[in-house]
Amino acid sequence: VQLQASGGGLVQPGGSLRLSCAASGTPKDYSTIGWFRQVPGKSREGVSCISISDGTTYYADSVKGRFTISRDDRNNTVYLQMNSLEPEDTARYYCATSNWSPEISHCRFHLNHWGQGTQVTVSS
């Protein structure tokens, strides 16, 4: 499985970005797909993920109400719409999969694939 993330960049506080993750390859050995982020020197933080079977979602408390995850099953693509961005959202965002549910993996644990990531910088 290959995961290609895109859509990162530099944005001012209060701005928006939409990240995309294109999944390819077989076998499709995962049931959850989503995003975690990481800042150098800090541990991985699960951001948001979604079940590919029933659409169940997980959001970190820090992004609830600001970020929305969605999926396009026909194109095997997952999106993360990020609104009202804050400097604290600055990190490298990685697309990742898990064979555990969003409620268990929290987009952080039991990951079996992840990509190279895309940098998001929120600064004035």
Side-chain angles (χ1 to χ4, degrees):
V1 173
Q2 291 80 46
L3 303 170
Q4 182 64 51
S6 60
L10 173 64
V11 63
Q12 292 186 340
S16 299
L17 284 174
R18 189 175 81 154
L19 304 183
S20 300
C21 173
S24 61
T26 56
K28 203 169 187 178
D29 58 351
Y30 57 90
S31 58
T32 294
I33 186 167
W35 304 85
F36 69 87
R37 63 190 181 187
Q38 192 161 24
V39 176
K42 294 190 176 181
S43 59
R44 175 190 302 169
E45 178 188 12
V47 177
S48 180
C49 49
I50 187 168
S51 167
I52 62 173
S53 61
D54 63 11
T56 302
T57 57
Y58 164 84
Y59 291 95
D61 287 343
S62 58
V63 307
K64 281 180 181 176
R66 301 188 297 122
F67 291 10
T68 303
I69 193 168
S70 61
R71 70 185 202 264
D72 178 346
D73 294 336
R74 185 168 61 179
N75 294 310
N76 289 324
T77 301
V78 174
Y79 302 98
L80 185 67
Q81 178 65 44
M82 306 187 296
N83 298 329
S84 301
L85 283 162
E86 304 168 351
E88 293 74 21
D89 295 316
T90 295
R92 192 160 188 86
Y93 285 68
Y94 296 84
C95 182
T97 64
S98 172
N99 50 14
W100 291 80
S101 69
E103 301 95 322
I104 293 176
S105 77
H106 284 195
C107 325
R108 178 186 177 190
F109 305 112
H110 310 295
L111 303 180
N112 58 357
H113 303 288
W114 56 91
Q116 295 300 310
T118 184
Q119 179 68 32
V120 172
T121 302
V122 185
S123 175
S124 55

